[in-house]
Amino acid sequence: MNKILIIVLILCLLLQGENIKSQNNPNRPIPSLKISNDPKDQAKVNLQELDIQVNIFGNIAKTTMTMIFRNNENRDLEGILTFPMPEGVSVTGYALDINGKLRQAVAVDKSKGIEVFESIESRRVDPGLLERVEGNNFKTRIYPIPAQGQRTISITYEENLQFHASTGFQYHLPLAYKQAIERFKLQVNIYQTDQVPTLISKPDGSLIFSEKNHIYQAAIAKNNFIPEKSLVIGLPKRPNENNILTQANQDQSFYFLSNIFIDAPSKAKTWTNKIGIIWDNSLSAKDKDIQKELALLDLIIQQKKNLTVELGLLNISYVKAGTFHIEQGNWTALKNYLLHLTYDGGTDYSKLNDQVLQAEEYLFFTEGLSTFGSNQVTINKPIYCISSSAIADYSTLQAISKKTGAKTLNLLNTSPIDGIKKLSSENLKFLGIKEHADFSEIYPAIHTEVQDHIAITGLGKNNNLKQITLLFGYGDRATQEVKIDINYQENELDVHKIWAQKKIATLDVDYTENKERIEELGKQFGIVTRNTSLIVLETVEDYVRYAILPPTELLPAYHKFTKEQSVLREERMHDLLAQAETAVQELKKWWQTDFKAKKTYPQPNRIVEESFVEPEVHPINNAQAATSKMVSSESRQMFIADDQYSNLEEIVLSDLEDPVSDQQHYSGTDVSDRTTAGAKITIPDIKNDNMYLQVLEKSANPYQTYLELRQAYLGTPSFYFDVANFFYRKGTKDKALLVLSSLADLQIENADLFKTIAYILKQWEQYQYELYINKKILDWRPMDLQSHRDYALALLDNKQYQKAFDQLYSILTQSYSPEAADRDDGIEEIIVMELNNLLKLNQTHVNSNNISKKLIADLPVDCRVVINWNSNNTDIDLWVTDPHGEKCFYSNNSTAIGGRLSNDFTGGYGPEQFLLKRAVKGKYKVEVDFYNDNSLTLAGPTAVMAEIFTYYSSGKQERKIITLYLDKTKEQHVTIGTFDF
């Protein structure tokens, strides 16, 4: 009966989530707008118009996509548009409508772009930001999409088309839209060609080419249109087509792009008898082109016939799956095994080593995204990296193969037959230019392999040069020369941007070493890179305020404002040291206060509201909190709280001795009268009535049931969160970690999602993973104080005491934007508590000579509670109710027995902190309240992490952690723990 019930429930959930599956595919190759993690919300913003312009000159294509999105909600929303680009291609143009006119973006440092965007967005005006995230994937944040209104954006990219032996050059535009587009337009222009282009694939049968004056054109315009297929155009090679395109510069130099077709005989490679296959079976690998990868593998096996294959599977672990002995090319057993693999979890390249498989060389099928660990591989034998994924990071794959003396294959735009040619041969190599004194900055790099065709770009030193001689050969010896006459004919091509993209792609293979050079190129040429973004601001004043050079049409006004100094430039907060020193003095004063018990008198059964005496409320420094949170009569009644607790697991901490203060660095504090009795922390069993958890509870094979249910929740973070906690409670911690790590594969470079992962990893004491995840967040969002704090505390969990101390202290010494400083006002009190705790408990491991002595204080407390949350522009409140029934919260932040609450953080990510120097006997209740969500996306539930300490900074401190999702639509406030003294 249970089995039948489970099947019925699964079917119901799958039908319920039918749309989820289509709308939350993590690897969609088309631009897709996301406003929420809940697929039901996606319909609230639709693509109203899509206008695509494609211009092709030779083998250079320039594509501009103009999109109009309509918001059907009655509130302004922020949208996030994501899309992948082909290997080596970047976005070169971005525009956003401002006052009904498209305004072009300008290049800016990536972290500054995020900081400026969020600062302006908080004022509810019109910024736009486009950035590159991991892999060759791009993300643009659009605000606002006005209530019941529309927003227009335009994205341009230029690419050097790939050559295919069968079809010639090939242009590919993904158009796999699932929803009807109200107005769809497509215009294709192919210039200066005598060869008839072919439509290999087209979105609609009516699309055909017509020719006039050597220009081929095709166009369609449709209403309520769903494209049937992607657009793929074949451009046949012309006879003797070796040519060179140029673009003149102001100093008589010029950029050039040369297309070379060459007879490139190759030397056959002999595969070894023992090949290792590393097969990425993480969640993000689920949507790669597995059939294409198997077709390539078949060609390799048929070439060798008799061999031994050792198969290793990689997600967050790397394990040997088996040894397959292949005779006469029969690899049925291996193929069937690969076809029936389960894809789950994140990816950790650092797990790869040469001990798991015994092989002479490796084929690594993956997408280049190590989402749950470092991408450094410790295998010293040749690793041939192969990817058919639209989101692949080819820079990482090239770095791995180059280091091991192998090759990388982009199987997304290469046929298996062409792929085997590249992998199974030693090919002719490009060895440079004979007239090297006349040219510089030639790309691709020397020793790049050539198969039939190569595109070479560089910088010519003067425009009197008549010819260029390209050198090719094997090893370092040139065996062929190709001479090309230079044509200085004017054209509309941005050859300089193709050159810059190729240079950036070359430097990006060693990103760490070339980071600054890549940033300079991105800014100079207006190209989006890993550390350069494109930004659009609404007013000239904003460009002046943030010292960002505007687009050409705004330059006169920009220079006028700058000269007249009529616009105040942004005044950054230099550091937080003065505030931190003040916080220490206030904490000392509070700690030294004797909070004597006050005599209370009995109350009548009926309380008259008019006679209510409001407790003393200390002023809240955050101005926004003071204006946004008004204490009503009803809320005042909540100072006296319900003392009912249920469904609690008890964790007993007993026989704790009186902490002893080390006076070497601390003075002025006497703790001899502190409570010495045992303390008991109780963590609640948070109830979750989601139907999929009921199904899992009834299942005889919960993991298999999870895989079946996952189809209905493929892109829903809370599903993985709940299921991971389910497996953890059941004691199957390996499965819990695997499911949790899948969150890292859901959305590329999503800091909020990664914060959720980090909270759970801390709770589960998976400290190495916690450190990696928090370092990623810090790399993405260095402008946030919380990113630095979270990373510092992860270092502390990993017992890297000096690094943790230095990282915490750095929070107080760096500069911040006024918006960030205002949003996080009061965080200094939390930082100095953690600095002093770290120093006191680990003095032998920490050198504190370089910090201000005014920051050092011994402040042990009986109780400390800290909450953090993962969503920006969200207000989560911490409530602690003492045994006398008095609640410490934002409107009553100092209690009669000495409870102290930090500033009320009404935006950002927290944290909020409760301190109690000396606990009176009795039970304390800890709650969190979802007060408000000012986020501009339909963000859904917020992940909250609470750390509950007893005897903090005493030498005997204990910590318990709870993480939960809080959904304002379901739970206003939740009890997260109690402690008894």
Side-chain angles (χ1 to χ4, degrees), residues 17 62 76 83 190 212 234 242 257 286 313 352 370 401 421 440 547 758 779-780 790 817 828 840 855 895 978:
K62 181 176 182 178
D76 290 354
F83 50 97
I190 302 177
K212 185 177 181 180
N242 289 347
L257 174 67
K286 181 175 180 291
L313 301 179
L352 294 175
S370 184
S401 58
K421 288 180 182 178
S440 64
D779 290 343
W780 299 336
D790 290 343
S817 70
E828 307 86 15
K840 180 177 180 179
L855 296 177
T895 67
T978 65

Side-chain angles (χ1 to χ4, degrees), residues 636-653:
R636 291 189 184 105
Q637 299 297 331
M638 298 170 69
F639 285 2
I640 309 302
D642 183 10
D643 194 28
Q644 301 299 316
Y645 310 97
S646 61
N647 297 320
L648 302 175
E649 300 177 0
E650 292 188 351
I651 302 163
V652 180
L653 315 174

Side-chain angles (χ1 to χ4, degrees), residues 863-877:
C863 308
R864 180 177 186 252
V865 181
V866 183
I867 63 168
N868 309 267
W869 53 93
N870 75 328
S871 297
N872 201 1
N873 296 309
T874 302
D875 185 0
I876 306 293
D877 288 325

Side-chain angles (χ1 to χ4, degrees), residues 245-279:
L245 299 169
T246 61
Q247 184 176 22
N249 300 321
Q250 296 176 355
D251 62 355
Q252 306 304 310
S253 67
F254 63 92
Y255 292 98
F256 74 87
L257 174 67
S258 179
N259 286 292
I260 308 301
F261 294 89
I262 188 169
D263 182 17
S266 59
K267 299 178 181 179
K269 166 187 164 53
T270 302
W271 294 95
T272 62
N273 294 322
K274 208 166 193 179
I275 295 177
I277 294 177
I278 305 170
W279 194 272

Side-chain angles (χ1 to χ4, degrees), residues 21-52:
K21 193 164 56 172
S22 63
Q23 296 179 10
N24 285 278
N25 184 335
N27 299 329
R28 285 174 296 187
I30 59 171
S32 54
L33 185 75
K34 187 178 184 67
I35 58 167
S36 169
N37 286 324
D38 187 341
K40 295 189 296 293
D41 290 331
Q42 291 300 113
K44 295 174 181 177
V45 175
N46 64 286
L47 179 58
Q48 191 173 49
E49 182 172 325
L50 176 60
D51 187 340
I52 304 171

Side-chain angles (χ1 to χ4, degrees), residues 119-136:
S119 295
I120 295 176
E121 182 187 51
S122 67
R123 305 195 326 246
R124 298 300 198 263
V125 293
D126 290 15
L129 181 70
L130 188 143
E131 53 191 316
R132 176 181 165 181
V133 292
E134 293 192 342
N136 204 36

Side-chain angles (χ1 to χ4, degrees), residues 122 193 211 253 362 594 675 677 776 793-794 852:
S122 67
T193 181
E211 184 268 341
S253 67
Y362 294 85
D594 182 12
T675 302
K776 296 287 282 188
L793 297 180
S852 168

